[in-house]
Amino acid sequence: MEIAVQSFNNKLNNHGLSLYVQSHGKDPMLAAAAAEKLIKENNVTVIIGLETWELAAPVAEIGTRARVPVLSFTAPSITLPLSALRWPFLAQMANNDSEQMTCIAAIIRSYGWKKVIAIYEDETYGGDSGKLAVLIEALQDIGSEIEHTLVLPPISSLSNTKEVMQEELMKLLSLESRVFVVLKASSVMTIHLFEEAKNMGFMGRDSAWLITDKITTYLDSFNTSIISSMAGVLGIKTYYTENSSEYKSFYGQFKQVFRKKYEDEDNFEPGIYALKAYDAIQIITEAMEGMINTNISSKQLSEKILSSNFTGLSGEIQFERGMLSQNPTLRIVNVVGKKYKELDFWLPSFGFSRSLGNEETEHDGIGFSKNIGYVGNKSADFTGTVIWPDGSKLVPKGWAIPTNTKPMIIGVPARTAFEKFVKVDDGKHPGQKKYDGFCIELFYEVLTVLDYDLIYQFDPHNGTYDELVHKVYNKTYDAAVGDITILANRTNLVEFTQPYAATGLSMIVSVKPESSEWMFLKPFTAKMWLVTGSLLIYTMFIVWFLEHQSNPNFRGPWNNQIGTALWFTFSSIFFAHREKIYSNLTRVVVVVWLFVALILTSSYTASLTSMLTVQRLEPNVTDIESLKRSNVKIGCDGDSFVRTYLEDVLKFESYNIENVNSEYNYEGEFKSNHIAAAFLELPYGKVFLNRYCKKFTTTAPTYIFGGLGFVFQKGSPIARDFSRAILKLSEDGTLMSLEQKWFAPSPECSANVTEESKTNSLSINSFLGLFLISGATSTVCLLLFLAYSLKRYWHHELENNAGNLSLVDEGVLIKAMRVAKYIYNGKVCVQGEVSAAPRVPDIYEWSSPTWYYDRSSSHISMENLEVKSQAETEIGIQLQVHN
């Protein structure tokens, strides 16, 4: 301020500035008294200074009553909506803490820390100026939380600061989180805090410390020995440029004055508050330069101050509603050794950036700066290289890894119904326990995947699973390992890992052998039988149609023809037919049909054999509603949630539910008819059926739950590590190998047919192509026969009826009947005479010469050649009358 006053007095023509200094001892009451004294005794025009809001608020109240402008270097953490009306003479050369806490939360998100510990020094009259509330809100936005808040008493109230500090820090030893955010503290309290934290091991490998800009400004005034105790700390600092000519001029003067006053100090950086003090004098000077005379009112001066608009050493100076209108650019700094280095920038409403670039650079809708090239605040992560408190670049886990002196206490269910999952036995020595089972071995496998050693101690839990979960919730246990089902109400209390097994509720019932008088029909479905029968009848018709003219076995009365055709087709299925066939077309049809018959009989025999050989079981109870109507008893594991689920969701009466404490007791309960069904979670049901597959089965719908998982306290980082490890074990096949080891079926069930592998009835889909080939072949042969027969008929008509005009005038119906008769009998009847036409088709062309058939006329019945039907006689008479 002295530098600024001297500099501006040299420029002012009509006015001069006099500087009065009053000490307030960081006490709000003393600060108010000092302000009142300056107004009354020194008749000051403007009051400037006040580094904390608890000091600025009472002074602003004094200034408002006395109508004296007040320039404070701070602002409340939360913007007060009516502050401009309440303190019209107050100009706040700062912004609220929203942007700063958002930056801290973004750093925490970048490293995946879920829990933090907030530390601040209590104000003289209590409170934290709202910083804690802003931080809580910022952490909620990224899914993190404050595990504990450590409130340090005001330094002025302590007689033995070191002892009190040790007592306060001891409270943090029992906490899991090792990410500390120091919101506010005086310079003296900051020194004691980090010195004791380092001595007590809080500045170790797994710890991370973040400090706000208020504490970061101390780094410019602390000596190197103090800074070294803060090594590894990340700080937030308000950015200001050091390249302007104004800053360089000020820095030279400041360095010279500071060295004269503090010869022993080796740190002479001005800091943000020195720059704000310089800018405050410039604000007053520019406000007074516009005045014509010195008799200006306080209101006019206040309005001039609030209308300032220039770029000062601390940044842009422009007020809106009593505070700076623009959020400052922040800089993340890292304390290294005896100094600190600057890392990334934090740009308001944008995010992290390695270089400042042009803040006015155009960026697209998702926050990519075309000059800077960094993602905006919605997805950007802090990428600066940090030297952490242990001196390494390895990112701290942010939580206290269990040690031999303080191992992780893990609860294990000791009263399990199925010992393949978890089994707790007495060890060799008194008080010692032996833990085994699928879940325990999976836990051991997870430990091999973790990139750190987890020191743990098992503790058997003799109680229900809900009680075990509550012990993790109330921090009796750090975690729980076992066959614990993930349920919605449990996730409200604790955090589960990735499920390692699927779960659901299944109903186990006893079975009885399946029997039926109609078993011989089951190899084929009803539709399959229908289509097969239809194809058989169609093939029978085709064989008869092609053979009945030339083959004497297929002639005679209608009943004989149908019987012969049926017998031939049916017997061909078993290759027992003896009738000779004459037509080559019939031979083609029969060959294809015999192939179809071979496939069908083979498939039928195999399917029926399988059905009769493999034992088929059917459940005694098929649905839940029948159990309710029968009012019978059911069994379940009483220590699990299943009993409550049966009562509340499935609506079973409590007195009908029996607790079964061991998997070996279920068989006896069923045999004694004490229970009619058992409700087990899906993994247990599989284990049970692997042992008793021939006596029991599962039925009814399976109600799906969240799976089996391990339990940790809310926000535990170890839960995330375990989830990743379980996924890795699942992907590399380790999890499946464990399941095969622990849940392998018993010898009698290993070869047993499962529900999915039971022989089902054969459907038409398996033989559709075969049926189409057979049907198409028969149809083509029929069409060929008809085409050739018609051709022979018309050729005969042209040769034998030329010049016969009586046939020309025949009607369509008569002609159709003549064609049908010709195709059926192979002869044409005209005027009561039999034509000399040969049979159709010609046996010398359409029949194989190798068939044994006597073609002599003596074998041809005269009845077939001479006797006419009544219809033929009537046709002849009609023709004669017409002529």
Side-chain angles (χ1 to χ4, degrees), residues 138-166:
L139 292 176
Q140 287 176 345
D141 292 340
I142 64 167
S144 298
E145 62 179 351
I146 294 178
E147 182 182 15
H148 179 74
T149 301
L150 180 62
V151 182
L152 303 174
I155 191 68
S156 58
S157 64
L158 302 180
S159 57
N160 190 338
T161 306
K162 182 176 181 179
E163 181 180 348
V164 172
M165 187 63 65
Q166 290 176 347

Side-chain angles (χ1 to χ4, degrees), residues 620-645:
N620 286 321
V621 181
T622 57
D623 61 88
I624 293 175
E625 293 302 321
S626 64
L627 288 174
K628 295 180 183 178
R629 290 192 299 268
S630 302
N631 202 32
V632 295
K633 291 187 179 295
I634 58 175
C636 70
D637 180 9
D639 287 336
S640 71
F641 73 96
V642 175
R643 184 182 182 95
T644 304
Y645 188 86

Side-chain angles (χ1 to χ4, degrees), residues 198 203-208 228 230-233 334-337 341 385-396:
K198 185 176 182 179
M203 303 289 288
R205 172 187 170 189
D206 303 315
S207 301
S228 62
M230 301 175 65
V233 172
N334 180 209
V335 180
V336 180
K341 65 175 183 178
T385 302
V386 180
I387 305 298
W388 298 100
D390 65 337
S392 72
K393 296 180 182 179
L394 185 64
V395 178

Side-chain angles (χ1 to χ4, degrees), residues 477-526:
Y477 292 144
D478 297 311
V481 169
D483 49 340
I484 306 170
T485 305
I486 303 173
L487 300 175
N489 61 332
R490 291 176 178 176
T491 58
N492 296 328
L493 305 176
V494 295
E495 187 163 338
F496 283 90
T497 63
Q498 170 78 16
Y500 57 81
T503 57
L505 189 64
S506 58
M507 184 173 72
I508 307 296
V509 296
S510 58
V511 294
K512 58 182 179 181
E514 181 182 358
S515 60
S516 174
E517 298 81 0
W518 301 97
M519 180 66 74
F520 69 93
L521 293 176
K522 289 193 174 182
F524 289 165
T525 62

Side-chain angles (χ1 to χ4, degrees), residues 14 178 196 391 564 718 791 871:
N14 301 326
R178 286 297 178 267
E196 294 305 322
T564 302
I718 306 181
K791 178 181 176 183

Side-chain angles (χ1 to χ4, degrees), residues 66-201:
R67 302 180 67 82
V68 174
V70 177
L71 271 73
S72 71
F73 298 160
T74 186
S77 298
I78 303 174
T79 301
L80 303 176
L82 300 178
S83 60
L85 297 176
R86 181 176 178 181
W87 302 299
F89 290 87
L90 174 63
Q92 304 167 63
M93 297 178 63
N95 304 88
N96 60 33
D97 289 326
S98 175
E99 197 68 35
Q100 184 179 187
M101 297 306 169
T102 302
C103 176
I104 292 175
I107 295 174
I108 293 171
R109 179 200 61 203
S110 300
Y111 294 117
W113 298 324
K114 293 299 181 181
K115 290 183 179 181
V116 303
I117 296 174
I119 302 175
Y120 67 88
E121 180 183 355
D122 198 8
E123 296 175 350
T124 305
Y125 298 101
D128 63 344
S129 301
K131 293 181 182 293
L132 182 63
V134 180
L135 177 62
I136 291 174
E137 183 178 356
L139 292 176
Q140 287 176 345
D141 292 340
I142 64 167
S144 298
E145 62 179 351
I146 294 178
E147 182 182 15
H148 179 74
T149 301
L150 180 62
V151 182
L152 303 174
I155 191 68
S156 58
S157 64
L158 302 180
S159 57
N160 190 338
T161 306
K162 182 176 181 179
E163 181 180 348
V164 172
M165 187 63 65
Q166 290 176 347
E167 292 177 357
E168 294 296 330
L169 291 177
M170 284 291 293
K171 301 176 182 178
L172 306 181
L173 290 175
S174 60
L175 302 177
E176 184 181 61
S177 177
R178 286 297 178 267
V179 179
F180 306 97
V181 180
V182 185
L183 297 175
K184 61 186 290 288
S186 61
S187 58
V188 178
M189 182 64 79
T190 301
I191 294 171
H192 285 285
L193 172 62
F194 283 98
E195 285 181 348
E196 294 305 322
K198 185 176 182 179
N199 294 335
M200 296 179 66

